[in-house]
């Protein structure tokens, strides 16, 4: 077993990222050590760098999206969520949320376990100053704590191809479960980042009639076409009225049945309410961190008789379904193309900046390259 691990640390909000060395802790019964192949650079990580989420302990080792190989296992057998024993060398991902208690009011009565107050998230809420320290994915090794849900990655799915299993596809799966697509629906998706692209794939798999991808970056919209977008709209090149009218033109005058928001930009929300058809559904999943306040007209929502839904976090089942969906449709969609930028651990700062400038679709850090 290696003795130490280098990890990227955000000392405090907006401070430059530092690379620090940590001792690899002794593995307790039920724990494992993951050698990180790819750590996904999530939009959320950029927001964490800027201190935009409450309850995050700094200094922080960021990174909640990870795929890699099992390097070592503690003094007790552990099993993946399929119930099979995990072996050294297995290619896996984990559900980044641990300690959902399944015994609090939210878990038991409200049946909303993603609101469980006892949850902890790798790279977001776990304190790197406390033992076992290595609990963020921007690190050569991650200490997989006892009870963490581990999911096998099928051999035919490359680590890059699994770039969306950490966060984007589980979010998309959860979103579509919250707002189901009907066969033949007209769908519009705001945002062609990883979550938007995975929503596209799910819309395609679910028999959508038209799928319009809306974004401000033409390179993202090109990728959206490869993921099944029948139409694309660049918000830098069109006005809101033009987008509204175009969506009616391609849907016999009605407008999209469902609009999914996956942008991380608060301004998308009033626009989405405008774009969706009368009696349609508007579902927000891209506002995980606080991107500010916008002006809304509640009368418009009421008058349009809308279903408005939001989605918070993911359960292990969504991560599991995400891996399955990617594995089962691996030849249908260019999942590997989602990873557009790869960085070494020493380039973490650059990785966050690249993600912030929207140059990448999905950037990953490969700490062991
Ligand atoms: Zn994420
Ligand atoms: Zn709970």
């Amino acid at each position: 077993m290696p003795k130490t691990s280098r990890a990227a640390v955000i000392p405090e909000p907006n401070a430059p990222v530092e690379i620090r060395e940590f001792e690899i802790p002794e593995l307790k019964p039920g724990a494992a050590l993951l050698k990180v192949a790819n750590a996904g650079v999530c939009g959320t990580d950029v927001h964490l760098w800027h201190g935009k989420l409450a309850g995050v302990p700094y200094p922080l080792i960021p990174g909640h999206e990870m795929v890699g190989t099992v390097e070592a296992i503690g003094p007790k057998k552990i099993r993946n969520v399929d119930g099979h024993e995990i072996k050294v060398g297995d290619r896996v991902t984990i559900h980044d949320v641990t300690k959902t208690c399944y015994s609090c009011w939210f878990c038991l009565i409200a049946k909303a376990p993603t609101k469980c107050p006892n949850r902890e998230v790798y790279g977001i809420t776990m304190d790197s100053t406390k033992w076992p320290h290595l609990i963020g994915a921007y690190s050569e090794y991650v200490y997989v704590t006892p009870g963490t849900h581990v999911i096998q990655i099928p051999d035919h799915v490359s680590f890059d191809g699994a770039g969306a299993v950490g966060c984007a596809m589980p979010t998309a799966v959860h979103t579509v479960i919250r707002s189901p697509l009907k066969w033949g629906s007209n769908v519009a998706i705001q945002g062609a980042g990883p979550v938007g692209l995975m929503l596209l794939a799910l819309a395609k798999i679910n028999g959508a009639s038209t799928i319009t991808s809306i974004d401000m970056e033409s390179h993202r919209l090109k990728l959206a076409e490869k993921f099944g977008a029948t139409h694309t709209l660049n918000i830098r090149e069109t006005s809101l009225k033009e987008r509204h009218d175009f969506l009616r033109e391609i849907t016999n005058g009605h407008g999209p049945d469902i609009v999914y928001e996956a942008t991380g930009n608060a301004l998308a929300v009033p626009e989405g309410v405008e774009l969706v058809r009368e009696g349609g559904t508007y579902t927000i999943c891209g506002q995980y961190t606080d991107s500010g306040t916008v002006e809304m007209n509640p009368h418009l929502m009421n008058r349009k008789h809308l279903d408005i839904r939001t989605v918070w976090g993911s359960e292990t089942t969504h991560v599991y379904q995400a891996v399955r969906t990617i594995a089962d449709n691996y030849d249908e969609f260019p999942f590997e193309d989602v990873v557009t930028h790869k960085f070494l651990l020493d380039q973490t700062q650059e990785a966050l900046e690249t993600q912030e400038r929207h140059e990448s679709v999905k950037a990953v850090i490969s700490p062991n390259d």
Side-chain angles (χ1 to χ4, degrees):
M1 203 165 92
K3 293 262 179 301
T4 59
S5 173
R6 296 168 75 240
V9 176
I10 299 173
E12 57 183 25
N14 298 309
V17 175
E18 294 172 10
I19 304 297
R20 295 183 189 167
E21 194 159 86
F22 294 83
E23 248 178 63
I24 289 180
E26 186 197 336
L27 299 180
K28 292 267 166 77
L33 190 69
L34 180 76
K35 184 176 185 181
V36 179
N38 284 343
V41 180
C42 187
T44 300
D45 297 336
V46 177
H47 293 140
L48 295 175
W49 181 33
H50 295 310
K52 283 191 190 166
L53 193 71
V56 176
Y58 296 88
L60 177 77
I61 302 176
H64 52 276
E65 304 178 8
M66 60 193 98
V67 289
T69 48
V70 176
E71 176 78 13
I73 294 167
K76 187 187 163 199
K77 282 183 184 175
I78 51 173
R79 298 183 181 278
N80 63 31
V81 296
D82 282 306
H84 304 139
E85 189 183 336
I86 296 166
K87 302 242 165 55
V88 168
D90 279 359
R91 301 166 73 250
V92 299
T93 189
I94 62 163
H95 184 204
D96 58 357
V97 177
T98 63
K99 295 189 180 170
T100 304
C101 74
Y102 297 108
S103 58
C104 72
W105 185 86
F106 281 102
C107 287
L108 275 184
I109 307 301
K111 299 284 184 203
T114 62
K115 295 306 297 177
C116 173
N118 302 311
R119 283 162 56 110
E120 288 185 359
V121 190
Y122 284 85
I124 298 181
T125 69
M126 284 151 94
D127 190 341
S128 73
T129 63
K130 291 186 186 145
W131 194 92
H133 308 291
L134 294 169
I135 35 62
Y138 290 17
S139 174
E140 289 170 325
Y141 295 93
V142 167
Y143 184 90
V144 179
T145 58
T148 296
H149 295 157
V150 178
I151 297 158
Q152 206 87 10
I153 296 173
D155 288 343
H156 71 280
V157 177
S158 71
F159 284 134
D160 286 0
V165 302
C167 216
M169 188 57 111
T171 302
V173 166
H174 194 188
T175 301
V176 170
I177 289 171
R178 293 270 291 167
S179 291
L181 285 151
K182 293 194 186 84
W183 201 263
S185 294
N186 292 302
V187 181
I189 299 166
Q190 298 173 292
V195 178
L197 293 173
M198 295 308 113
L199 284 166
L200 265 169
L202 294 181
K204 197 78 187 167
I205 293 166
N206 281 281
S209 175
T210 65
I211 315 172
T212 304
S213 175
I214 305 167
D215 201 279
M216 60 167 74
E217 304 291 347
S218 55
H219 71 97
R220 289 184 171 209
L221 291 171
K222 278 205 187 85
L223 194 51
E225 283 170 2
K226 291 192 193 169
F227 271 88
T230 55
H231 305 83
T232 59
L233 288 168
N234 190 324
I235 64 169
R236 287 204 176 116
E237 293 161 9
T238 54
S239 67
L240 172 55
K241 182 171 186 313
E242 284 170 330
R243 294 191 285 282
H244 177 276
D245 293 351
F246 177 82
L247 287 168
R248 266 125 201 95
E249 205 180 295
I250 61 168
T251 56
N252 297 323
H254 303 299
D257 304 298
I258 299 191
V259 176
Y260 292 114
E261 183 281 326
T263 65
N265 186 331
L267 290 169
V269 176
E271 165 156 346
V273 169
E274 293 267 357
L275 297 180
V276 67
R277 73 162 165 82
E278 306 269 330
T281 303
Y282 186 52
T283 302
I284 298 164
C285 70
Q287 304 291 323
Y288 187 78
T289 50
D290 188 347
S291 59
T293 308
V294 283
E295 218 170 80
M296 300 282 302
N297 184 343
H299 169 64
L300 183 61
M301 296 182 235
N302 197 151
R303 197 192 76 210
K304 289 183 87 170
H305 187 60
L306 297 182
D307 283 327
I308 296 189
R309 305 218 88 177
T310 69
V311 181
W312 182 253
S314 305
E315 295 172 59
T316 302
T317 183
H318 305 130
V319 184
Y320 185 81
Q321 289 164 353
V323 173
R324 287 259 48 93
T325 305
I326 289 173
D328 294 347
N329 296 279
Y330 206 59
D331 296 333
E332 310 300 322
F333 300 98
F335 290 110
E336 291 185 353
D337 294 356
V338 175
V339 175
T340 53
H341 292 66
K342 294 188 94 165
F343 296 93
L344 302 172
L345 192 62
D346 294 308
Q347 299 169 309
T348 297
Q349 171 95 25
E350 199 185 328
L352 289 167
E353 287 167 1
T354 305
Q355 182 69 34
E356 186 168 31
R357 289 192 301 265
H358 289 171
E359 281 169 29
S360 45
V361 177
K362 180 99 222 148
V364 298
I365 293 168
S366 304
N368 284 290
D369 281 5

